[in-house]
Amino acid sequence: MSVSPMVLLLSSLAPTASQAQDAPRPNVVIIFCDDLGYGDLGCYGNPTIATPNLDRMAAEGQRWTQFYVGASVCTPSRAALMTGRLPVRSGLCSGERRVLFPDSAGGIPASEITLAEALRDLGYDTGMVGKWHLGHLPPYLPTSNGFDSYFGIPYSNDMDRLPSAPEGRAAITKPRVEYFNVPLLRGTEVVERPADQRTITRRYTDEAVRFIDEHKGGNPFFLYLAHSMPHVPLFRSDEYEGVSRRGLYGDVIEEIDGSVGRVLDAIREGGISEETVVFFTSDNGPWLVFGRQGGTAGLLRNGKGSTWEGGMREPFLAWWPGTIPAGGMVRDLGATMDLYVTSILLAGGTPPGDRAIDGVDLRPAFFGAGPSPRDSMLYYRGTELYAARLGPYKAHFITEEAYGRDTNREAHDPPVLYHLEHDPSERFDVSAEHPGVIADIRALVDAHRETVEPVPNQLETRIGGE
Amino acid sequence: MSVSPMVLLLSSLAPTASQAQDAPRPNVVIIFCDDLGYGDLGCYGNPTIATPNLDRMAAEGQRWTQFYVGASVCTPSRAALMTGRLPVRSGLCSGERRVLFPDSAGGIPASEITLAEALRDLGYDTGMVGKWHLGHLPPYLPTSNGFDSYFGIPYSNDMDRLPSAPEGRAAITKPRVEYFNVPLLRGTEVVERPADQRTITRRYTDEAVRFIDEHKGGNPFFLYLAHSMPHVPLFRSDEYEGVSRRGLYGDVIEEIDGSVGRVLDAIREGGISEETVVFFTSDNGPWLVFGRQGGTAGLLRNGKGSTWEGGMREPFLAWWPGTIPAGGMVRDLGATMDLYVTSILLAGGTPPGDRAIDGVDLRPAFFGAGPSPRDSMLYYRGTELYAARLGPYKAHFITEEAYGRDTNREAHDPPVLYHLEHDPSERFDVSAEHPGVIADIRALVDAHRETVEPVPNQLETRIGGE
């Protein structure tokens, strides 16, 4: 059981000959939400949010139940998806400022090879629509990092608050578009400011559908559609006002569900279903401190900002008619970093060999040909490793509340240990019963630490600062 | 919004003419589990319990997300299902002894008209397999209450503990068949004691399949299959040992899932799918005090024994190929008492007109023809009404922990108020914002109380007692 991520990686990069030969080079579409909880979709047990399009996507494809993101907040999680690496390797994480802000001077380093760059080098057309949050200064924007085109907001929709906004939380819980001076970019140009967030999900969808229509039949394409929602402040278009039994939050999710329906319809009607793989997930768990305006992690503990399962385990759907078997549930482990590796392999390439990559090849699991090669997960908060999972066991070396003045940070030696598959809500510490498991997890962590090199922190530098 | 359950009932008993004419008289199968939680099935979001047969049943039928039982513990919940009435009307509930025990002298009164009696009077053949728990003395057994045949245990599988069993909880968490002197009955005869619980789910299934095979093509039939599991002590047959990623509890659920698959296969292979309606649910929520040997209520609060949602909201699947539309999710309200009313109506009868009935006619919702007529729910603990729901709002007049020495019972005036559809986990009290809603709920409760007549308590009398 004592294996390092690098060992995992090497073994997982050897698909069988038949897999490599049979698979076409598909278009790749990644639909990424913001702060969506594990329990927010109908097909994940939500009682009052109707998600018929996502439920259908699940029924036609795969629904995963142990799928992870690279961090429990926005910037580092997106860095993990785009680089295939834990954010500690790119410098896009910090314990102080946990994400990039409008006054941040940093962003994704030029040395990183983004998924868009890797796929473009393999002949793909690349487009991004939505929230980026890996740096808003010119060198960091999507069009400087592998995307042919970009339409979206560069950071979170609750930033750039204007003096007209009420103090404190009221600006978020009773939001108006004009409170948040967030820019909407096309390429590198600001085309609207503040972005009209009421229509932003619809307009993202329009852009995504147009991209698909324009690119079908040409080169293979990579489309990254990163919704700004359901991150607070919540907005939805008139068409979705009051549609959900779940209130405003439900309306917002149901608009995203409608968006997924439009994207899949564009793929179906474009006749490219069998040559397009679509992944759906989110950057991190629900922002619980926002109460009814935040989502739910279902049976998982805690949410966004924490290294409990509710912060880093997400709904994940994979759809590729004719290749990914319909109606499957996958209870193996997966992570957004694996989408980096897997997408590059599907495109006929090889993940970068000159650096540590934390993703593994999920093709066996997608194709129904075998188990996922992932059997571990590392849970960072900022630059500190708080917890690690090996097989079904998760050890918490540090626990801490997600937010608040007193976050009750606590270090544990021995670590608190949960059997996540028997105890998905992390209720029953079994550390006393399994010293050998703890030793294995410590070895995993030690092996991982040896692969981490010091890099400049991208989140602490400020515009005009030192 | 101020409507009484009786008003609901009268309006709901008027199906459209076309519904009444078109529907055949179906066979009725009710599969009832014991202590299954809202979050325990794959199709309700469980990450590590595999329930492919139940997931398929949901995909071929309907999955409900706001379906209630009549009480949060065994005996009164089963009384509600069998009589269509809240257990306070039949005397099968108490605040002291919350269920019937082996020394109990009481049981279901002869004056009650059970669902089996009602359907037998309509020409149905009736059979019961499994756990009864409405009285084990002769007048109370299933064959004295409308069932032509019976095979099962008369009360809970953790009762009748023998001296050989270890003290306290160890008998349950590390159970052996011989610790529990529970009898297995055929008709009214004890055929095995202690019942071999290791094979009990398989043998129940064998009986149910045999019943279906023997009755197909004859009179319409009513089969009530009430599993003893997953009530602790947990047992499963050799075939299911170690099959689940969720451990012992998962094995037990996966054996029940396999049982559902066998029952539906018997119906399919018998060629009676289109004339058989199958309902699947459980008596109450998960028994959380048993930790990893108990289930999960998913995102719902608390579990068995409490009047929080986790105690009384259950997974509910309805399956009737050709009549119940496939793949539907129903977010309307329903309850086990409605199965009483609806089954009688489907059989061409009329629910008893000489007494208060708390069920409503769910045919419109089953047929996809309209909303469920239910818009309220009453939450009793013993003979006391703790909470009431009207539309999306639930008022807690009393809250109390499910179990324990200090259950922290608290009365609330005004009641604590939750919007269950916006806040399914019952986190945010909105009583201050909605005095009108509270007034409506008080009126609902007052109207209900006027319909409740004093009856002898069936749970407090003991064999040989006064």
Side-chain angles (χ1 to χ4, degrees), chain B residues 410-441:
Chain B
E410 229 179 316
H412 304 278
D413 190 2
V416 179
L417 189 74
Y418 298 107
H419 189 303
L420 289 180
E421 300 195 342
H422 292 184
D423 174 25
S425 305
E426 300 179 273
R427 296 169 65 205
F428 308 106
D429 180 10
V430 294
S431 56
E433 300 160 40
H434 300 288
V437 169
I438 292 173
D440 287 344
I441 295 179

PDB file of all heavy atoms in Angstrom, chain B residues 410-441:
ATOM      1  N   GLU B 410     -37.089  20.186  24.382  1.00  0.00           N
ATOM      2  CA  GLU B 410     -37.335  21.622  24.484  1.00  0.00           C
ATOM      3  C   GLU B 410     -38.635  21.966  23.780  1.00  0.00           C
ATOM      4  O   GLU B 410     -38.840  21.565  22.630  1.00  0.00           O
ATOM      5  CB  GLU B 410     -36.182  22.348  23.766  1.00  0.00           C
ATOM      6  CG  GLU B 410     -35.558  23.464  24.562  1.00  0.00           C
ATOM      7  CD  GLU B 410     -34.412  24.098  23.779  1.00  0.00           C
ATOM      8  OE1 GLU B 410     -33.601  23.346  23.176  1.00  0.00           O
ATOM      9  OE2 GLU B 410     -34.354  25.316  23.727  1.00  0.00           O
ATOM     10  N   ALA B 411     -39.492  22.693  24.478  1.00  0.00           N
ATOM     11  CA  ALA B 411     -40.726  23.180  23.843  1.00  0.00           C
ATOM     12  C   ALA B 411     -40.469  24.587  23.291  1.00  0.00           C
ATOM     13  O   ALA B 411     -39.685  25.347  23.871  1.00  0.00           O
ATOM     14  CB  ALA B 411     -41.860  23.199  24.855  1.00  0.00           C
ATOM     15  N   HIS B 412     -41.096  24.902  22.169  1.00  0.00           N
ATOM     16  CA  HIS B 412     -40.841  26.189  21.510  1.00  0.00           C
ATOM     17  C   HIS B 412     -42.154  26.927  21.258  1.00  0.00           C
ATOM     18  O   HIS B 412     -43.068  26.382  20.637  1.00  0.00           O
ATOM     19  CB  HIS B 412     -40.144  25.963  20.162  1.00  0.00           C
ATOM     20  CG  HIS B 412     -38.879  25.180  20.257  1.00  0.00           C
ATOM     21  ND1 HIS B 412     -37.673  25.737  20.597  1.00  0.00           N
ATOM     22  CD2 HIS B 412     -38.640  23.858  20.085  1.00  0.00           C
ATOM     23  CE1 HIS B 412     -36.736  24.805  20.619  1.00  0.00           C
ATOM     24  NE2 HIS B 412     -37.298  23.642  20.306  1.00  0.00           N
ATOM     25  N   ASP B 413     -42.238  28.151  21.734  1.00  0.00           N
ATOM     26  CA  ASP B 413     -43.391  29.004  21.449  1.00  0.00           C
ATOM     27  C   ASP B 413     -42.896  30.426  21.295  1.00  0.00           C
ATOM     28  O   ASP B 413     -42.498  31.033  22.286  1.00  0.00           O
ATOM     29  CB  ASP B 413     -44.426  28.906  22.575  1.00  0.00           C
ATOM     30  CG  ASP B 413     -45.726  29.590  22.180  1.00  0.00           C
ATOM     31  OD1 ASP B 413     -45.813  30.082  21.045  1.00  0.00           O
ATOM     32  OD2 ASP B 413     -46.629  29.637  23.033  1.00  0.00           O
ATOM     33  N   PRO B 414     -42.884  30.972  20.100  1.00  0.00           N
ATOM     34  CA  PRO B 414     -43.350  30.358  18.863  1.00  0.00           C
ATOM     35  C   PRO B 414     -42.486  29.176  18.457  1.00  0.00           C
ATOM     36  O   PRO B 414     -41.347  29.050  18.920  1.00  0.00           O
ATOM     37  CB  PRO B 414     -43.215  31.498  17.843  1.00  0.00           C
ATOM     38  CG  PRO B 414     -42.120  32.360  18.387  1.00  0.00           C
ATOM     39  CD  PRO B 414     -42.285  32.303  19.880  1.00  0.00           C
ATOM     40  N   PRO B 415     -43.024  28.325  17.596  1.00  0.00           N
ATOM     41  CA  PRO B 415     -42.232  27.177  17.148  1.00  0.00           C
ATOM     42  C   PRO B 415     -41.020  27.619  16.318  1.00  0.00           C
ATOM     43  O   PRO B 415     -41.012  28.709  15.750  1.00  0.00           O
ATOM     44  CB  PRO B 415     -43.218  26.395  16.273  1.00  0.00           C
ATOM     45  CG  PRO B 415     -44.235  27.404  15.843  1.00  0.00           C
ATOM     46  CD  PRO B 415     -44.363  28.371  16.978  1.00  0.00           C
ATOM     47  N   VAL B 416     -40.027  26.753  16.282  1.00  0.00           N
ATOM     48  CA  VAL B 416     -38.919  26.924  15.339  1.00  0.00           C
ATOM     49  C   VAL B 416     -39.466  26.619  13.945  1.00  0.00           C
ATOM     50  O   VAL B 416     -40.194  25.634  13.773  1.00  0.00           O
ATOM     51  CB  VAL B 416     -37.766  25.962  15.673  1.00  0.00           C
ATOM     52  CG1 VAL B 416     -36.632  26.125  14.695  1.00  0.00           C
ATOM     53  CG2 VAL B 416     -37.293  26.189  17.107  1.00  0.00           C
ATOM     54  N   LEU B 417     -39.162  27.463  12.987  1.00  0.00           N
ATOM     55  CA  LEU B 417     -39.745  27.299  11.654  1.00  0.00           C
ATOM     56  C   LEU B 417     -38.648  27.172  10.592  1.00  0.00           C
ATOM     57  O   LEU B 417     -37.738  28.009  10.537  1.00  0.00           O
ATOM     58  CB  LEU B 417     -40.641  28.501  11.330  1.00  0.00           C
ATOM     59  CG  LEU B 417     -41.495  28.389  10.063  1.00  0.00           C
ATOM     60  CD1 LEU B 417     -42.666  27.424  10.293  1.00  0.00           C
ATOM     61  CD2 LEU B 417     -42.030  29.762   9.641  1.00  0.00           C
ATOM     62  N   TYR B 418     -38.751  26.145   9.771  1.00  0.00           N
ATOM     63  CA  TYR B 418     -37.802  25.974   8.670  1.00  0.00           C
ATOM     64  C   TYR B 418     -38.540  25.939   7.336  1.00  0.00           C
ATOM     65  O   TYR B 418     -39.642  25.397   7.260  1.00  0.00           O
ATOM     66  CB  TYR B 418     -37.016  24.663   8.811  1.00  0.00           C
ATOM     67  CG  TYR B 418     -36.173  24.591  10.042  1.00  0.00           C
ATOM     68  CD1 TYR B 418     -36.537  23.766  11.106  1.00  0.00           C
ATOM     69  CD2 TYR B 418     -35.021  25.350  10.163  1.00  0.00           C
ATOM     70  CE1 TYR B 418     -35.770  23.702  12.258  1.00  0.00           C
ATOM     71  CE2 TYR B 418     -34.242  25.294  11.315  1.00  0.00           C
ATOM     72  CZ  TYR B 418     -34.621  24.472  12.355  1.00  0.00           C
ATOM     73  OH  TYR B 418     -33.861  24.415  13.491  1.00  0.00           O
ATOM     74  N   HIS B 419     -37.901  26.477   6.320  1.00  0.00           N
ATOM     75  CA  HIS B 419     -38.387  26.318   4.944  1.00  0.00           C
ATOM     76  C   HIS B 419     -37.664  25.096   4.386  1.00  0.00           C
ATOM     77  O   HIS B 419     -36.521  25.186   3.942  1.00  0.00           O
ATOM     78  CB  HIS B 419     -38.071  27.562   4.119  1.00  0.00           C
ATOM     79  CG  HIS B 419     -38.717  27.572   2.762  1.00  0.00           C
ATOM     80  ND1 HIS B 419     -38.518  26.581   1.830  1.00  0.00           N
ATOM     81  CD2 HIS B 419     -39.578  28.446   2.193  1.00  0.00           C
ATOM     82  CE1 HIS B 419     -39.211  26.860   0.738  1.00  0.00           C
ATOM     83  NE2 HIS B 419     -39.868  27.980   0.928  1.00  0.00           N
ATOM     84  N   LEU B 420     -38.334  23.955   4.406  1.00  0.00           N
ATOM     85  CA  LEU B 420     -37.647  22.690   4.102  1.00  0.00           C
ATOM     86  C   LEU B 420     -37.166  22.602   2.663  1.00  0.00           C
ATOM     87  O   LEU B 420     -36.240  21.841   2.368  1.00  0.00           O
ATOM     88  CB  LEU B 420     -38.585  21.505   4.368  1.00  0.00           C
ATOM     89  CG  LEU B 420     -38.911  21.195   5.825  1.00  0.00           C
ATOM     90  CD1 LEU B 420     -39.844  19.997   5.880  1.00  0.00           C
ATOM     91  CD2 LEU B 420     -37.653  20.924   6.620  1.00  0.00           C
ATOM     92  N   GLU B 421     -37.789  23.322   1.759  1.00  0.00           N
ATOM     93  CA  GLU B 421     -37.377  23.196   0.356  1.00  0.00           C
ATOM     94  C   GLU B 421     -36.174  24.084   0.049  1.00  0.00           C
ATOM     95  O   GLU B 421     -35.377  23.756  -0.831  1.00  0.00           O
ATOM     96  CB  GLU B 421     -38.567  23.476  -0.557  1.00  0.00           C
ATOM     97  CG  GLU B 421     -39.690  22.462  -0.266  1.00  0.00           C
ATOM     98  CD  GLU B 421     -40.777  22.385  -1.307  1.00  0.00           C
ATOM     99  OE1 GLU B 421     -40.920  23.316  -2.124  1.00  0.00           O
ATOM    100  OE2 GLU B 421     -41.508  21.364  -1.305  1.00  0.00           O
ATOM    101  N   HIS B 422     -36.037  25.182   0.784  1.00  0.00           N
ATOM    102  CA  HIS B 422     -34.839  26.022   0.624  1.00  0.00           C
ATOM    103  C   HIS B 422     -33.730  25.562   1.563  1.00  0.00           C
ATOM    104  O   HIS B 422     -32.556  25.850   1.333  1.00  0.00           O
ATOM    105  CB  HIS B 422     -35.164  27.485   0.946  1.00  0.00           C
ATOM    106  CG  HIS B 422     -36.083  28.136  -0.037  1.00  0.00           C
ATOM    107  ND1 HIS B 422     -36.445  29.457   0.024  1.00  0.00           N
ATOM    108  CD2 HIS B 422     -36.707  27.645  -1.144  1.00  0.00           C
ATOM    109  CE1 HIS B 422     -37.273  29.752  -0.964  1.00  0.00           C
ATOM    110  NE2 HIS B 422     -37.445  28.666  -1.694  1.00  0.00           N
ATOM    111  N   ASP B 423     -34.110  24.892   2.603  1.00  0.00           N
ATOM    112  CA  ASP B 423     -33.204  24.592   3.725  1.00  0.00           C
ATOM    113  C   ASP B 423     -33.446  23.160   4.178  1.00  0.00           C
ATOM    114  O   ASP B 423     -33.932  22.908   5.271  1.00  0.00           O
ATOM    115  CB  ASP B 423     -33.510  25.600   4.851  1.00  0.00           C
ATOM    116  CG  ASP B 423     -32.738  25.324   6.136  1.00  0.00           C
ATOM    117  OD1 ASP B 423     -31.659  24.704   6.061  1.00  0.00           O
ATOM    118  OD2 ASP B 423     -33.228  25.736   7.209  1.00  0.00           O
ATOM    119  N   PRO B 424     -33.138  22.190   3.324  1.00  0.00           N
ATOM    120  CA  PRO B 424     -33.504  20.800   3.625  1.00  0.00           C
ATOM    121  C   PRO B 424     -32.825  20.245   4.870  1.00  0.00           C
ATOM    122  O   PRO B 424     -33.306  19.261   5.430  1.00  0.00           O
ATOM    123  CB  PRO B 424     -33.064  20.031   2.364  1.00  0.00           C
ATOM    124  CG  PRO B 424     -32.093  20.920   1.671  1.00  0.00           C
ATOM    125  CD  PRO B 424     -32.476  22.329   2.024  1.00  0.00           C
ATOM    126  N   SER B 425     -31.731  20.861   5.296  1.00  0.00           N
ATOM    127  CA  SER B 425     -31.022  20.352   6.471  1.00  0.00           C
ATOM    128  C   SER B 425     -31.498  20.998   7.773  1.00  0.00           C
ATOM    129  O   SER B 425     -30.901  20.766   8.823  1.00  0.00           O
ATOM    130  CB  SER B 425     -29.515  20.558   6.303  1.00  0.00           C
ATOM    131  OG  SER B 425     -29.060  19.971   5.098  1.00  0.00           O
ATOM    132  N   GLU B 426     -32.569  21.804   7.707  1.00  0.00           N
ATOM    133  CA  GLU B 426     -33.149  22.412   8.920  1.00  0.00           C
ATOM    134  C   GLU B 426     -32.100  23.171   9.740  1.00  0.00           C
ATOM    135  O   GLU B 426     -31.867  22.877  10.904  1.00  0.00           O
ATOM    136  CB  GLU B 426     -33.860  21.339   9.772  1.00  0.00           C
ATOM    137  CG  GLU B 426     -34.994  20.654   9.027  1.00  0.00           C
ATOM    138  CD  GLU B 426     -35.694  19.575   9.840  1.00  0.00           C
ATOM    139  OE1 GLU B 426     -35.215  18.410   9.811  1.00  0.00           O
ATOM    140  OE2 GLU B 426     -36.701  19.864  10.479  1.00  0.00           O
ATOM    141  N   ARG B 427     -31.513  24.152   9.107  1.00  0.00           N
ATOM    142  CA  ARG B 427     -30.463  24.938   9.764  1.00  0.00           C
ATOM    143  C   ARG B 427     -30.900  26.351  10.152  1.00  0.00           C
ATOM    144  O   ARG B 427     -30.360  26.916  11.095  1.00  0.00           O
ATOM    145  CB  ARG B 427     -29.239  25.065   8.843  1.00  0.00           C
ATOM    146  CG  ARG B 427     -28.549  23.746   8.534  1.00  0.00           C
ATOM    147  CD  ARG B 427     -27.521  23.902   7.396  1.00  0.00           C
ATOM    148  NE  ARG B 427     -26.425  24.752   7.754  1.00  0.00           N
ATOM    149  CZ  ARG B 427     -25.673  25.442   6.884  1.00  0.00           C
ATOM    150  NH1 ARG B 427     -25.931  25.379   5.588  1.00  0.00           N
ATOM    151  NH2 ARG B 427     -24.692  26.221   7.286  1.00  0.00           N
ATOM    152  N   PHE B 428     -31.854  26.937   9.410  1.00  0.00           N
ATOM    153  CA  PHE B 428     -32.094  28.372   9.554  1.00  0.00           C
ATOM    154  C   PHE B 428     -33.531  28.657   9.971  1.00  0.00           C
ATOM    155  O   PHE B 428     -34.461  28.564   9.171  1.00  0.00           O
ATOM    156  CB  PHE B 428     -31.773  29.075   8.232  1.00  0.00           C
ATOM    157  CG  PHE B 428     -30.405  28.730   7.717  1.00  0.00           C
ATOM    158  CD1 PHE B 428     -30.239  27.872   6.639  1.00  0.00           C
ATOM    159  CD2 PHE B 428     -29.275  29.215   8.356  1.00  0.00           C
ATOM    160  CE1 PHE B 428     -28.972  27.530   6.188  1.00  0.00           C
ATOM    161  CE2 PHE B 428     -28.003  28.875   7.917  1.00  0.00           C
ATOM    162  CZ  PHE B 428     -27.851  28.024   6.826  1.00  0.00           C
ATOM    163  N   ASP B 429     -33.685  29.017  11.230  1.00  0.00           N
ATOM    164  CA  ASP B 429     -35.008  29.329  11.794  1.00  0.00           C
ATOM    165  C   ASP B 429     -35.529  30.630  11.180  1.00  0.00           C
ATOM    166  O   ASP B 429     -34.886  31.673  11.281  1.00  0.00           O
ATOM    167  CB  ASP B 429     -34.867  29.473  13.312  1.00  0.00           C
ATOM    168  CG  ASP B 429     -36.185  29.796  13.988  1.00  0.00           C
ATOM    169  OD1 ASP B 429     -37.243  29.736  13.340  1.00  0.00           O
ATOM    170  OD2 ASP B 429     -36.144  30.104  15.201  1.00  0.00           O
ATOM    171  N   VAL B 430     -36.692  30.557  10.558  1.00  0.00           N
ATOM    172  CA  VAL B 430     -37.276  31.752   9.950  1.00  0.00           C
ATOM    173  C   VAL B 430     -38.609  32.114  10.608  1.00  0.00           C
ATOM    174  O   VAL B 430     -39.440  32.800  10.012  1.00  0.00           O
ATOM    175  CB  VAL B 430     -37.464  31.564   8.419  1.00  0.00           C
ATOM    176  CG1 VAL B 430     -36.109  31.453   7.736  1.00  0.00           C
ATOM    177  CG2 VAL B 430     -38.320  30.333   8.093  1.00  0.00           C
ATOM    178  N   SER B 431     -38.780  31.684  11.859  1.00  0.00           N
ATOM    179  CA  SER B 431     -40.070  31.928  12.516  1.00  0.00           C
ATOM    180  C   SER B 431     -40.390  33.411  12.624  1.00  0.00           C
ATOM    181  O   SER B 431     -41.547  33.810  12.474  1.00  0.00           O
ATOM    182  CB  SER B 431     -40.087  31.263  13.892  1.00  0.00           C
ATOM    183  OG  SER B 431     -39.007  31.711  14.669  1.00  0.00           O
ATOM    184  N   ALA B 432     -39.369  34.234  12.876  1.00  0.00           N
ATOM    185  CA  ALA B 432     -39.635  35.660  13.058  1.00  0.00           C
ATOM    186  C   ALA B 432     -40.168  36.309  11.782  1.00  0.00           C
ATOM    187  O   ALA B 432     -40.906  37.288  11.835  1.00  0.00           O
ATOM    188  CB  ALA B 432     -38.356  36.368  13.521  1.00  0.00           C
ATOM    189  N   GLU B 433     -39.811  35.736  10.638  1.00  0.00           N
ATOM    190  CA  GLU B 433     -40.205  36.339   9.358  1.00  0.00           C
ATOM    191  C   GLU B 433     -41.587  35.912   8.896  1.00  0.00           C
ATOM    192  O   GLU B 433     -42.129  36.529   7.980  1.00  0.00           O
ATOM    193  CB  GLU B 433     -39.196  35.947   8.258  1.00  0.00           C
ATOM    194  CG  GLU B 433     -37.768  36.390   8.531  1.00  0.00           C
ATOM    195  CD  GLU B 433     -36.762  35.587   7.700  1.00  0.00           C
ATOM    196  OE1 GLU B 433     -37.038  35.314   6.506  1.00  0.00           O
ATOM    197  OE2 GLU B 433     -35.709  35.207   8.258  1.00  0.00           O
ATOM    198  N   HIS B 434     -42.146  34.862   9.461  1.00  0.00           N
ATOM    199  CA  HIS B 434     -43.371  34.300   8.888  1.00  0.00           C
ATOM    200  C   HIS B 434     -44.443  33.988   9.936  1.00  0.00           C
ATOM    201  O   HIS B 434     -44.881  32.837  10.065  1.00  0.00           O
ATOM    202  CB  HIS B 434     -43.041  33.034   8.091  1.00  0.00           C
ATOM    203  CG  HIS B 434     -42.100  33.271   6.962  1.00  0.00           C
ATOM    204  ND1 HIS B 434     -42.477  33.940   5.812  1.00  0.00           N
ATOM    205  CD2 HIS B 434     -40.793  32.968   6.804  1.00  0.00           C
ATOM    206  CE1 HIS B 434     -41.432  34.022   4.994  1.00  0.00           C
ATOM    207  NE2 HIS B 434     -40.396  33.442   5.563  1.00  0.00           N
ATOM    208  N   PRO B 435     -44.889  34.991  10.683  1.00  0.00           N
ATOM    209  CA  PRO B 435     -45.945  34.725  11.671  1.00  0.00           C
ATOM    210  C   PRO B 435     -47.216  34.178  11.024  1.00  0.00           C
ATOM    211  O   PRO B 435     -47.910  33.358  11.634  1.00  0.00           O
ATOM    212  CB  PRO B 435     -46.185  36.102  12.311  1.00  0.00           C
ATOM    213  CG  PRO B 435     -45.605  37.093  11.372  1.00  0.00           C
ATOM    214  CD  PRO B 435     -44.479  36.403  10.659  1.00  0.00           C
ATOM    215  N   GLY B 436     -47.519  34.590   9.818  1.00  0.00           N
ATOM    216  CA  GLY B 436     -48.733  34.100   9.146  1.00  0.00           C
ATOM    217  C   GLY B 436     -48.654  32.614   8.855  1.00  0.00           C
ATOM    218  O   GLY B 436     -49.648  31.883   8.976  1.00  0.00           O
ATOM    219  N   VAL B 437     -47.481  32.166   8.485  1.00  0.00           N
ATOM    220  CA  VAL B 437     -47.302  30.736   8.232  1.00  0.00           C
ATOM    221  C   VAL B 437     -47.511  29.946   9.514  1.00  0.00           C
ATOM    222  O   VAL B 437     -48.170  28.898   9.523  1.00  0.00           O
ATOM    223  CB  VAL B 437     -45.889  30.462   7.653  1.00  0.00           C
ATOM    224  CG1 VAL B 437     -45.594  28.975   7.648  1.00  0.00           C
ATOM    225  CG2 VAL B 437     -45.752  31.061   6.262  1.00  0.00           C
ATOM    226  N   ILE B 438     -46.963  30.475  10.596  1.00  0.00           N
ATOM    227  CA  ILE B 438     -47.124  29.779  11.882  1.00  0.00           C
ATOM    228  C   ILE B 438     -48.605  29.710  12.258  1.00  0.00           C
ATOM    229  O   ILE B 438     -49.092  28.665  12.726  1.00  0.00           O
ATOM    230  CB  ILE B 438     -46.290  30.473  12.973  1.00  0.00           C
ATOM    231  CG1 ILE B 438     -44.796  30.263  12.669  1.00  0.00           C
ATOM    232  CG2 ILE B 438     -46.638  29.924  14.362  1.00  0.00           C
ATOM    233  CD1 ILE B 438     -43.859  31.037  13.568  1.00  0.00           C
ATOM    234  N   ALA B 439     -49.333  30.783  12.021  1.00  0.00           N
ATOM    235  CA  ALA B 439     -50.772  30.773  12.309  1.00  0.00           C
ATOM    236  C   ALA B 439     -51.475  29.717  11.459  1.00  0.00           C
ATOM    237  O   ALA B 439     -52.348  28.983  11.945  1.00  0.00           O
ATOM    238  CB  ALA B 439     -51.363  32.157  12.055  1.00  0.00           C
ATOM    239  N   ASP B 440     -51.117  29.625  10.200  1.00  0.00           N
ATOM    240  CA  ASP B 440     -51.720  28.603   9.335  1.00  0.00           C
ATOM    241  C   ASP B 440     -51.408  27.198   9.844  1.00  0.00           C
ATOM    242  O   ASP B 440     -52.268  26.305   9.822  1.00  0.00           O
ATOM    243  CB  ASP B 440     -51.187  28.730   7.902  1.00  0.00           C
ATOM    244  CG  ASP B 440     -51.758  29.945   7.179  1.00  0.00           C
ATOM    245  OD1 ASP B 440     -52.765  30.506   7.661  1.00  0.00           O
ATOM    246  OD2 ASP B 440     -51.187  30.329   6.144  1.00  0.00           O
ATOM    247  N   ILE B 441     -50.169  26.990  10.278  1.00  0.00           N
ATOM    248  CA  ILE B 441     -49.802  25.658  10.771  1.00  0.00           C
ATOM    249  C   ILE B 441     -50.540  25.350  12.072  1.00  0.00           C
ATOM    250  O   ILE B 441     -51.010  24.230  12.282  1.00  0.00           O
ATOM    251  CB  ILE B 441     -48.268  25.530  10.916  1.00  0.00           C
ATOM    252  CG1 ILE B 441     -47.609  25.619   9.528  1.00  0.00           C
ATOM    253  CG2 ILE B 441     -47.892  24.220  11.609  1.00  0.00           C
ATOM    254  CD1 ILE B 441     -46.094  25.528   9.529  1.00  0.00           C
TER     255      ILE B 441
END
